[in-house]
Amino acid sequence: MNKKLLLSHLNNAAAKDWRDWRWQFKNRVTRIETLETLLGKTALPNDGLKAVTSVYPLAITPYYLSLMQGNDIHDPIRAQCVPDPREISGDGNIPEDPLEEDSHMPVPKLVHRYADRCLAIMTETCATYCRHCNRKRFWSHSNHLSLKTRMHNMLRYIAEMPQIREVIISGGDPLILDDHILEYLLSSLKAIPHIDVLRIGSRVPVVMPMRITGELCRMLKRYRPLWFNTQFNHPSEITSESARACNMLQEAGIPVSNQSVLLQGINDSPEVMRNLLYGLQKISVRPYYLFHCDPAKGCLHFRTEPKASIALMEKIWQQCSGLCLPQYVLDVPGSAGKLPLNMLSGKIKNDLKNHQHFFDKFK
Ligand code: SF4
C-alpha cells in the first residue's frame, strides 16, 4: 500500500506525523469501510467481515498497512491483519483459551503457569490486532479493573511469591502504555528483592516501530537485566524502520529475540522461513522460538499440518547456521511448557542411525 495515499487519506497528515507513534496509534484503521476505501471494495472477500469484527475487532496501524503489497489476497501482511470470515466459521467446540491461561490466574490478568516466572497481561489492546493471536478472546472483553488496581493486585501477589524470579510483561501489547506507567511497573517490580529478571513481550517493533523512542530506551535501560521479545513472522516485516527500532533497544543494552508463529500461507515455505531467519540474523535479532500455531478459536485456518511443518524445519535445520535457528515448539497447557518439535521425524532419526559409529565413541 502506497504511503502517500495513506497519508492523504488520513486527512493529509504531514510526513512528521508518520514518525509519531501516538499519531500512528490514533489513526489505526478500525473500520471495514475505511479498509474498503483504502484497498478497494473488490479486494475484500465480502460484507461478512463486519460479522467478524463484531466478534474480533479490527485495528491496523497506517505503518503496518503500508507494508502491504497491492491488493493481493495472499499478501502476508494482509493475511495477518485483515479479518477473514474463517475466524468465525469454525467448530464451536474449539477452545478460546487453548493454553488454559485463565485457570492459572491467581489475580486478574496475572498468569502463573511455571513456578519461577509469571506473565503480567497489562492491557487487552494492541497497536495492530494479529488475526492469528491466541489471546484474541481478550480483545472484545472490557477491562473491569482500572489499570492501577490491576497493577497493585499483581505486584502484591508477586511480592508474596519468593519463587518467582522473572516477570514477563505482555498483553495485548504493553508498549501501547505511556512511558510513565511502564516505568512505575518496572521500578515496582525491580524493588521486589526476589525479582532478578524482567522481560517485555511486544510486537511494536514490527507493527509500530516508531514507539521505540530514545526516551523509552533510556528509561528501559535503567531496569536491566531486561529482555525484549518481539514477533516478526515474515521477511517483508523487516524494514529500515523495524531494524532501527530493534537497534535502538540493542544499543540500550536490551537483547532482542524473536518468537514467530508458523502460519499457513504466510511463512510455511522453506524459502520464506529461511529469508525470515537470515533477515533477523542480519539485524541482530535472535530467532528464539517458532511456535506451532495454537488451536485457538478463530485461528484454525492458520494452523499448518504437523508432519509437513517438521519436514520444513528439518530442511531449515540442515541449511541454516545455528545462530539462525529458533526452537520449533508446541506450547501445551499447564506447566508442561513448550514441547520441542525439531528432530522428531523418521528422516532425522535415520540420519542419526547412520552416524551410530560416531556416537559409539562417546560410550
Ligand atoms: S500483538 Fe501480540 S497480543 Fe496483540 S494481537 Fe498480536 S499476537 Fe496478539
Side-chain angles (χ1 to χ4, degrees), residues 125-136 139 170-173 202-203 207 231:
T125 307
C126 299
T128 291
Y129 286 129
C130 315
R131 309 318 298 182
H132 56 273
C133 176
N134 66 359
R135 294 202 186 112
K136 64 202 295 183
W139 301 349
S170 187
D173 200 313
S202 164
R203 217 182 171 204
V207 298
Q231 187 196 134

